[in-house]
Every structure is written in structure tokens, then in C-alpha cells.
């Protein structure tokens, strides 16, 4: 009897496999009974796990523990940050406008607690980087703004010039929020490096639990108004009994990825191998955002005449999980708003496939995917494939 090859998982930007350290920490936490707000010994033990994880995440982000607000994920962290009322170091701050880039995740594009008429979109260039001249223009057009820009794009991996953006927002007297979900574990992530007031993180993108995230403040003195109110958890910034096991797992991941240099270097080596192989198989392949700085693990590419919808199914049948655009928008037939904002032709955008590597990816995985891709592409568009002489 032959055993089927294990599935090939190349969709870490959608969700990453659970890291062993996170699994161990979560299983240990699940064995405990105790509400972290209870004063008895069982409660104090649960509280101990939550606070140890908070310390670990704060250390990884270069902030004080009190600056970490645990949430149910980055969608909630983003919505929490996009508030029209902030507590500032010298009193309340009421940003009148929200400026977001054209390539943000839907949870930022929805505008959080701002109304649509208060929202302006910052354009991006053909490589997906935000246009700083357009940001300058928008900042000069009205009153104090909250600016929200992602650190790196989930579909293309394109990295935004955050230090330049942060300096401009600071000069304008505005507030700056960064959705750092895809940068975590791949680039150093610290709000102070970018002059950001808050950054959003998601545990499941880095090998922790799904449904777990955090809003990390540069300083606990400057914070958005609470989204969930009720009990006094998270220093009155996020009511509700904490998800102790998921928080403990997030803490374990934070300890592991605090220094991500070695893992990132390996991811970049694998990604380069992949893109070289891709161009060798399909000369017409286009890699989106390849002239910009990109995350080391992400490759969003298209081969003309190889529609993503069909290629995705064919890859799946051969055992490989990849994505067309972001997981949040797959299942919908529309083209990616990210590629549209970059001015990519709609026909080509419909051929866009994203592969995203992570801590489980090996060189053998890359080789296996290239073989599989050659077969898929040659079936869907024989002319696109370079055959060995
Ligand atoms: N921002 C970005 C850039 C993302 O990629 C995602 C996940 N697709 C989110 C926010 C939302 O994260 P979560 O799944 O934790 O709500």
C-alpha cells in the first residue's frame, strides 16, 4: 500500500502551523482552572500566565508590559485602534480624519469607528508602496488625522516606508497606527522604531492560536478608547475574561520570534530559490512588487493565461495549499484591491497566486511545489511553460 505524500502547506500569510512551544504552553494552560481576575491561588496562577505572556510580547516589541492589550485577533486590534477618541498624555485627542492606504486589510479599510465621510485613501505606486507626496497632500488638507498603514502587505509582502511615514505624521501632530500582522516574525517589529502610537499583531500568523491578537501601544499613556466595555480587564481597555491558553501560546511565540534574523534569512533563501525556479519554468511569470522591499517569505506572482481560480484548484488536488490574493477575500470572484491599487491589469490580476513560506518550509517543499507548478501551468497554458530541450 502506498501512503499519500503529506500536504504541502505554503499559505503562512493566511495562517501558520502552530509552533511546538506554543502548543506546549497552551496545553499546560488548558490544564489550569482559574479566572485571572480571581484573587485565590487558582486565579493567581492563571494571572501569572497572562502577565508572563504580556512581558514576553512587550519585550519583543520594546515597550512596557502595561502597553500590551490582548484582543481576539488583529481584526479587533485594528478596530480598537481606529477610534475617534484617544486618551493622550496631555488629555483626550479627537482625530477628525482617518487616512489609510489603498492596500490595507479589510479590517482597516472598513474604517473602524470612523464614518465613511471622514476617511481618505492614500494612493500607492506601481510597486505597492504608499506615495509619500500624496500622504503629505492629505495631511496638509485638514485637521488632526489618525493615519493607519500596514507594515507589510498580506498579498504581495511589499514593505511600507514606515519610518518616513511616522516622521510625517509626527510633524503633522497626528496619531499613527501600524497593522504589523504580516511583519511580525519576519522583520523587527517595535512601535517606537516607526514613531507609531500603536501596532496590531495576530498570533495565528506567527504560529500561535487563531482568535488571538494584541494592540501594542508605544506608551500606555496614549491609548484608543475601549471597544469592549464591562469588566476592568486589560486596564479597562478591553473587557472580558482573558483567553488564558491562547495568551500563553502567544507569549511562547513572542519569546521565540523576538529575534527573527536567522529564520528570515532562511525564508529569503527559499523565496529566492522559488522565484528563480518559477522564472525558469515560466519565462512570462510576473512577480508583483518585486522592485520594492518585500517580506522574505512572500511571493505573489502571475503567469499570463494561467487563471488563478483554476490553478488554485489544480494545486489543491495535487496536495498543495496556496492562495489567490488574501485568504480573507478568496472565495469571492472579484480581483484583489491590492493589485488594482497598484494598477495591475485586471486580466493579469486574475492570474495572481500567492505562496507564503514559514517556519515549517523546507528546500524540498520549494522543489516539490516547482515541479507541481510546472505540471499545473503546462496543463492550463502549455505555451507558458519552458520545456527542457
Ligand atoms: N491585517 C492583516 C495584514 C492580515 O493579513 C490579517 C489576517 N488576514 C488581519 C489583519 C486580521 O487578522 P485576524 O485574522 O487575527 O483577525
Amino acid at each position: 500500500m502506498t501512503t499519500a505524500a503529506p500536504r504541502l502547506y505554503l499559505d503562512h500569510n493566511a495562517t501558520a502551523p502552530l509552533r511546538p512551544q506554543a502548543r506546549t504552553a497552551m496545553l499546560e494552560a488548558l490544564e489550569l482552572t482559574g479566572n485571572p481576575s480571581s484573587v485565590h491561588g487558582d486565579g493567581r496562577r492563571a494571572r501569572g500566565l497572562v502577565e508572563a505572556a504580556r512581558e514576553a510580547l512587550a519585550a519583543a516589541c520594546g515597550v512596557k508590559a502595561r502597553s500590551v492589550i490582548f484582543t481576539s485577533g488583529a481584526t479587533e486590534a485594528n478596530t480598537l485602534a481606529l477610534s475617534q477618541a484617544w486618551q493622550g498624555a496631555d488629555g483626550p485627542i479627537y482625530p477628525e480624519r482617518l487616512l489609510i492606504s489603498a492596500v490595507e486589510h479589510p479590517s482597516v479599510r472598513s474604517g473602524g469607528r470612523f464614518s465613511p465621510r471622514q476617511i481618505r485613501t492614500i494612493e500607492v505606486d506601481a510597486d505597492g508602496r504608499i506615495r509619500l507626496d500624496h500622504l503629505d497632500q492629505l495631511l496638509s488638507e485638514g485637521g488632526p488625522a489618525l493615519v493607519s498603514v500596514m507594515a507589510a502587505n498580506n498579498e504581495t509582502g511589499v514593505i511600507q516606508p514606515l519610518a518616513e511615514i511616522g516622521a510625517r505624521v509626527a510633524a503633522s501632530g497626528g496619531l499613527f497606527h501600524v497593522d504589523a500582522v504580516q511583519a511580525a516574525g519576519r522583520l523587527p517589529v517595535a512601535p517606537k522604531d516607526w514613531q507609531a502610537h500603536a501596532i496590531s499583531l495576530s498570533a495565528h500568523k506567527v504560529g500561535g492560536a487563531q482568535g488571538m491578537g494584541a494592540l501594542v501601544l508605544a506608551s500606555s499613556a496614549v491609548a484608543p478608547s475601549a471597544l469592549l466595555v464591562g469588566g476592568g480587564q486589560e486596564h479597562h481597555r478591553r473587557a472580558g475574561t482573558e483567553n488564558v491558553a491562547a495568551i500563553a501560546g502567544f507569549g511562547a511565540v513572542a519569546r521565540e520570534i523576538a529575534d527573527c534574523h536567522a529564520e528570515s534569512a532562511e525564508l529569503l533563501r527559499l523565496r529566492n530559490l522559488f522565484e528563480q525556479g518559477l522564472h525558469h519554468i515560466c519565462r512570462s511569470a510576473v512577480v508583483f512588487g518585486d522592485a520594492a522591499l518585500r517580506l522574505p517569505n512572500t511571493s505573489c506572482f502571475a503567469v499570463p493565461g494561467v487563471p488563478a481560480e483554476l490553478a488554485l484548484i489544480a494545486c489543491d488536488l495535487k496536495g498543495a495549499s496556496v492562495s489567490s490574493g488574501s485568504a480573507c477575500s478568496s472565495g469571492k470572484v472579484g480581483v484583489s484591491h491590492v493589485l488594482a491599487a497598484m494598477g495591475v491589469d485586471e486580466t493579469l490580476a486574475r492570474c495572481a497566486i500567492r505562496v507564503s513560506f514559514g517556519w515549517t518550509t523546507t528546500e524540498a517543499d520549494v522543489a516539490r511545489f516547482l515541479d507541481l507548478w510546472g505540471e499545473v501551468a503546462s496543463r492550463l497554458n502549455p505555451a507558458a511553460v519552458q520545456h527542457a530541450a
Side-chain angles (χ1 to χ4, degrees):
M1 201 175 82
T2 53
T3 45
R7 282 193 65 89
L8 185 52
Y9 188 80
L10 300 179
D11 204 10
H12 283 245
N13 287 12
T15 201
L18 196 63
R19 289 187 192 250
Q21 294 84 341
R23 186 171 191 276
T24 304
M26 286 165 67
L27 288 174
E28 281 171 13
L30 285 169
E31 293 297 329
L32 291 186
T33 300
N35 184 320
S37 297
S38 298
V39 291
H40 49 62
D42 290 311
R44 289 202 307 278
R45 279 211 294 165
R47 169 62 53 205
L49 292 184
V50 171
E51 296 315 317
R54 196 188 305 283
E55 293 278 355
L57 197 57
C61 298
V63 299
K64 297 219 165 75
R66 212 182 150 91
S67 301
V68 173
I69 308 169
F70 288 117
T71 64
S72 66
T75 296
E76 184 190 327
N78 284 344
T79 310
L80 174 60
L82 302 193
S83 169
Q84 295 181 52
W86 282 58
Q87 163 211 308
D90 308 312
I93 311 172
Y94 301 106
E96 290 165 14
R97 306 176 297 144
L98 174 65
L99 309 185
I100 60 172
S101 88
V103 295
E104 295 303 310
H105 184 266
S107 58
V108 167
R109 278 175 22 113
S110 69
R113 291 177 275 171
F114 284 79
S115 69
R117 57 173 186 79
Q118 293 175 299
I119 305 172
R120 294 286 174 281
T121 304
I122 316 158
E123 290 167 10
V124 297
D125 64 19
D127 289 307
R129 286 171 297 219
I130 86 158
R131 278 185 40 207
L132 294 172
D133 59 326
H134 193 223
L135 171 65
D136 287 339
Q137 184 195 323
L138 291 173
L139 284 172
S140 70
E141 274 174 1
L146 169 64
V147 178
S148 180
V149 173
M150 64 197 343
N153 188 265
N154 43 311
E155 295 185 31
T156 59
V158 168
I159 297 171
Q160 296 297 348
L162 294 173
E164 281 96 324
I165 299 169
R168 283 167 162 79
V169 180
S172 75
L175 289 165
F176 186 31
H177 164 252
V178 175
D179 174 345
V181 164
Q182 297 291 349
R186 297 159 188 164
L187 305 173
V189 158
K192 288 178 189 162
D193 292 353
W194 305 322
Q195 297 192 56
H197 296 89
I199 66 171
S200 297
L201 298 174
S202 177
H204 74 102
K205 306 288 184 177
V206 280
Q210 295 177 337
M212 180 75 243
L215 186 71
V216 179
L217 308 170
S219 149
S220 64
V222 182
S225 61
L227 188 60
L228 299 184
V229 290
Q233 291 92 349
E234 301 298 291
H235 302 291
H236 294 277
R237 294 183 185 131
R238 201 272 183 184
T241 301
E242 299 86 342
N243 186 344
V244 178
I247 289 174
F250 201 6
V253 172
R255 276 175 216 111
E256 203 181 341
I257 64 169
D259 179 3
C260 56
H261 282 95
E263 200 168 288
S264 290
E266 175 60 4
L267 289 172
L268 184 59
R269 189 182 76 81
L270 295 177
R271 210 264 315 269
N272 287 342
L273 275 179
F274 168 70
E275 290 185 354
Q276 279 159 15
L278 173 71
H279 287 301
H280 184 72
I281 298 169
C282 303
R283 289 230 173 110
S284 58
V286 177
V287 173
F288 299 110
D290 67 348
L293 277 177
R294 282 182 296 149
L295 291 176
N297 77 316
T298 308
S299 186
C300 184
F301 67 93
V303 176
V306 178
E309 258 182 290
L310 298 180
L312 208 72
I313 297 168
C315 288
D316 189 34
L317 289 174
K318 289 179 181 290
S321 298
V322 296
S323 172
S324 69
S326 71
C328 307
S329 63
S330 61
K332 274 192 251 154
V333 185
V335 309
S336 145
H337 72 279
V338 175
L339 298 180
M342 291 163 68
V344 175
D345 164 75
E346 190 178 324
T347 314
L348 188 63
R350 288 191 189 279
C351 297
I353 294 280
R354 177 190 70 188
V355 294
S356 49
F357 303 154
W359 70 271
T360 55
T361 312
T362 62
E363 195 168 326
D365 291 344
V366 173
R368 187 174 152 208
F369 183 69
L370 284 169
D371 280 350
L372 187 157
W373 178 259
E375 291 167 21
V376 167
S378 94
R379 190 154 62 72
L380 295 174
N381 181 9
V385 175
Q386 179 75 17
H387 291 285

